[in-house]
Amino acid sequence: AAGVIQSPRHLIKEKRETATLKCYPIPRHDTVYWYQQGPGQDPQFLISFYEKMQSDKGSIPDRFSAQQFSDYHSELNMSSLELGDSALYFCASLLLKGEGTDTQYFGPGTRLTVL
Amino acid sequence: GQQVMQIPQYQHVQEGEDFTTYCNSSTTLSNIQWYKQRPGGHPVFLIQLVKSGEVKKQKRLTFQFGEAKKNSSLHITATQTTDVGTYFCAGPNYGGSQGNLIFGKGTKLSVKP
């Protein structure tokens, strides 16, 4: 079965640079969530989109922005990167419409290292 | 605000021993989910419990949802090295849109062969 795809899998950036992370949800899934996970931490919710509209906003810094496109893929744009942004970034997708389920399916993650 | 708490934070067991992690919510939950994250991996959905007092089994894993739907547990019988990882519980985030989850801090299980 198709899973959530994230790219790139690894990314190394310098401080103050920008980064763009991409997420391709499971086909037919209409909802995308972005999480940030530091070492030994639980996933921290950043932002979510349902049917291409932002549905929830969590602890996402103002330096970050995201959107969901017409094909349902999503991009997380990170600017003015700081050392503390180094983390695993997960995307999760969900079919919300008509299913009534909360089960999120996580992608493999993008490991961002800021030097 | 709404909280989901998990204990213990870490658990070290000898292979063959049993393991249990507990999840407690500050609010009554419509459902609770469990995820497993292997070292270096991503959270993988294990199961969802919906009914009060529900018990579900997956081979050596037993999941329970409390009668008051505020707590849950995951019990692994006779752990194996393949059980290593962090187990997260998650419940609906009532401050967010449908589908938004609030995760516990997780219990990291290590198994000594």
Side-chain angles (χ1 to χ4, degrees), chain A residues 33 35 37 41-43 45 55-56 90 94 96 100-104 106-108, chain B residues 31 33 35 37 41-43 45 48 88 92 96-101 103-105:
Chain A
Y33 302 84
Y35 293 90
Q37 187 178 38
Q41 303 294 314
D42 56 302
F45 170 68
S55 52
D56 278 321
F90 290 109
L94 164 69
L96 199 57
T101 177
D102 298 337
T103 301
Q104 296 183 17
F106 282 74
Chain B
N31 69 84
Q33 302 178 37
Y35 291 79
Q37 185 175 18
H42 59 280
F45 172 75
Q48 181 178 25
F88 294 99
S97 304
Q98 184 183 357
N100 195 321
L101 297 175
F103 283 83
K105 295 294 183 188

Side-chain angles (χ1 to χ4, degrees), chain B:
Chain B
Q2 183 184 359
Q3 289 185 307
V4 173
M5 295 146 287
Q6 253 185 283
I7 55 168
Q9 190 176 359
Y10 303 96
Q11 185 79 60
H12 309 281
V13 301
Q14 193 77 34
E15 190 172 22
E17 291 182 338
D18 292 356
F19 158 77
T20 304
T21 173
Y22 300 91
C23 182
N24 290 286
S25 169
S26 59
T27 59
T28 301
L29 300 172
S30 57
N31 69 84
I32 196 158
Q33 302 178 37
W34 285 91
Y35 291 79
K36 176 184 178 182
Q37 185 175 18
R38 293 179 187 273
H42 59 280
V44 174
F45 172 75
L46 293 177
I47 207 161
Q48 181 178 25
L49 304 172
V50 178
K51 299 177 185 175
S52 169
E54 188 171 14
V55 177
K56 285 188 176 180
K57 291 191 175 187
Q58 291 180 350
K59 297 183 181 177
R60 295 177 294 104
L61 277 62
T62 302
F63 303 85
Q64 291 191 354
F65 201 9
E67 294 291 338
K69 301 182 78 172
K70 292 183 73 174
N71 56 72
S72 181
S73 65
L74 158 58
H75 179 81
I76 302 179
T77 304
T79 54
Q80 300 175 359
T81 54
T82 53
D83 295 325
V84 163
T86 302
Y87 293 84
F88 294 99
C89 62
N93 180 354
Y94 294 116
S97 304
Q98 184 183 357
N100 195 321
L101 297 175
I102 182 168
F103 283 83
K105 295 294 183 188
T107 295
K108 186 173 182 179
L109 172 65
S110 62
V111 179
K112 190 174 182 181

Side-chain angles (χ1 to χ4, degrees), chain A residues 21-41:
Chain A
L21 310 186
K22 296 185 179 183
C23 169
Y24 298 86
I26 292 172
R28 294 196 317 114
H29 279 196
D30 50 23
T31 309
V32 165
Y33 302 84
W34 285 98
Y35 293 90
Q36 178 190 60
Q37 187 178 38
Q41 303 294 314

